[in-house]
Amino acid sequence: MATNAIDQTRRMLSLVTYLRERPGARVGDVARAFGITEDELIADLDVLPMCGTSFRGGDLLDIDTDGDRIWWHNPDDAAEPLRLAADEATALLVAARAVATLPGLREGDRQALLRATAKLEAAAGEAAGASSRLSVTFESEGGVFADVDRAIAERRRLWLRYYSPARDELTEREVDPIRLFAVGHTYMEAWCRLSEARRTFRLDRVAKIKLLDAPADPPPVELRDLSEGLVQPAAEDPEVVIEVGPGGRWVAEYYPHDRADELPDGGLRITLRTPDPASLRRLALRLGRDGRIVSPAELADSARQAAGQALAAYGG
């Protein structure tokens, strides 16, 4: 079943009401009622227990299943009237107004959200006035987020003009989107037809985007667990060795690495892996006197050339 984040959120909110009114509901019956597979329902049930019973979190929803029936052990906690403090009301109103401006939002959903926002404003009183002085803008301009979300829902291929800061160039490529996620910035994970490999694209670096009529057909891939961060080197990635002085020890804190050996001057010799070693040239330039790339030799030479070109530009 094609779905997107908005569809899934709507479904999970409806699940809360549905399950509260049907203790011990059968998994198959619930899946049919929502028009999803049993696997998709179980995936939703894996997420629901992470939600709190109040705006500040509260007790978690105690929902589990034995594979046949679904049991909710604390439904009355979620049914208690919601009471918002001033900061909670402000945060909720700002978020609601921001979502209402999101490109690609269904008009029916937008109107429902605006009606709910109006009711919240009436109940919030003075807090509503404070929230009106705040605003949120989405980094994904030009409908990029909406186009990616639509492509995932409709299983369509995308054409991108994408900026790569590591190479300082724009490339054009076709991709089959897999998912959207946020780790600091908003990203799209997709199968890139140019490189014939899975790639991650930061949405604010998409210069232009088009939905294509061709169906998206990415090969089966195992979704990465992003709980440890976006950059998760693989064992087969090229190895890079960097030496940093005392002022560059922060590199070991921010970059996943295989080992970090102490140097006599208080610095570190850091061994790490990356699928794109060229991207570390920017790190070398940032370190300046506080570090250098030791190997591979071609990357070290490339970093020195980049530093020389930068110095020449300043001299000119």
Side-chain angles (χ1 to χ4, degrees):
M1 174 183 176
T3 189
N4 57 30
I6 294 173
D7 291 332
Q8 186 180 23
T9 301
R10 183 195 301 109
R11 182 175 71 235
M12 292 178 66
L13 289 173
S14 299
L15 263 176
V16 171
T17 302
Y18 187 93
L19 295 176
R20 183 174 181 273
E21 296 174 353
R22 296 168 177 80
R26 292 189 179 276
V27 170
D29 293 341
V30 177
R32 281 191 295 273
F34 283 83
I36 58 177
T37 66
E38 293 188 12
D39 287 342
E40 288 173 319
L41 174 60
I42 296 300
D44 287 348
L45 295 177
D46 287 340
V47 174
L48 275 177
M50 301 177 190
C51 303
T53 58
S54 74
F55 191 71
R56 288 194 185 277
D59 295 331
L60 298 181
L61 299 181
D62 189 2
I63 299 175
D64 63 42
T65 177
D66 59 8
D68 179 40
R69 293 181 178 272
I70 304 168
W71 306 99
W72 187 353
H73 304 291
N74 62 342
D76 292 338
D77 293 344
E80 293 180 357
L82 180 64
R83 294 179 175 84
L84 301 177
D87 61 328
E88 295 172 327
T90 299
L92 192 55
L93 283 167
V94 171
R97 293 192 186 104
V99 172
T101 67
L102 189 65
L105 187 65
R106 292 189 182 95
E107 189 57 31
D109 293 335
R110 192 188 314 277
Q111 293 303 319
L113 180 58
L114 291 175
R115 289 194 297 271
T117 303
K119 292 179 181 179
L120 182 57
E121 288 174 340
E126 294 182 2
S131 69
S132 65
R133 295 190 291 273
L134 302 173
S135 64
V136 174
T137 57
F138 293 97
E139 66 178 38
S140 174
E141 297 179 358
V144 174
F145 181 96
D147 283 341
V148 175
D149 191 50
R150 181 180 172 189
I152 292 172
E154 299 179 3
R155 300 186 183 276
R156 291 170 61 181
R157 188 167 296 175
L158 288 166
W159 173 88
L160 305 178
R161 181 173 292 141
Y162 187 75
Y163 174 68
S164 174
R167 301 179 179 86
D168 190 26
E169 66 179 6
L170 283 167
T171 60
E172 295 183 3
R173 59 187 78 200
E174 292 184 7
V175 303
D176 292 345
I178 298 171
R179 63 170 170 169
L180 282 163
F181 63 90
V183 180
H185 296 276
T186 306
Y187 296 87
M188 169 182 60
E189 191 169 18
W191 186 262
C192 177
R193 295 291 168 179
L194 178 65
S195 57
E196 285 299 317
R198 177 166 56 180
R199 291 289 184 263
T200 301
F201 302 94
R202 216 171 94 175
L203 294 197
D204 62 343
R205 291 177 179 165
V206 176
K208 195 171 183 180
I209 187 170
K210 294 179 184 177
L211 272 82
L212 302 178
D213 292 331
D217 186 26
V221 294
E222 182 178 352
L223 295 181
R224 297 181 298 158
D225 178 6
L226 299 172
S227 60
E228 298 298 323
L230 178 61
V231 180
Q232 299 175 31
E236 64 272 15
D237 288 340
E239 183 179 272
V240 178
V241 178
I242 301 174
E243 288 186 355
V244 299
R249 293 179 67 94
W250 58 268
V251 174
E253 299 176 8
Y254 284 88
Y255 286 80
H257 55 276
D258 294 337
R259 58 184 297 172
D261 301 317
E262 294 285 344
L263 295 176
D265 65 352
L268 294 172
R269 183 182 177 92
I270 303 169
T271 303
L272 55 84
R273 296 181 183 276
T274 173
D276 185 14
S279 64
L280 294 179
R281 283 199 301 265
R282 292 169 62 87
L283 173 63
L285 292 174
R286 180 178 178 185
L287 286 168
R289 296 178 181 274
D290 283 325
R292 67 187 183 94
I293 296 174
V294 177
S295 66
E298 58 270 20
L299 180 60
D301 291 342
S302 174
R304 281 192 291 269
Q305 292 174 6
Q309 291 170 357
L311 288 172
Y314 277 107

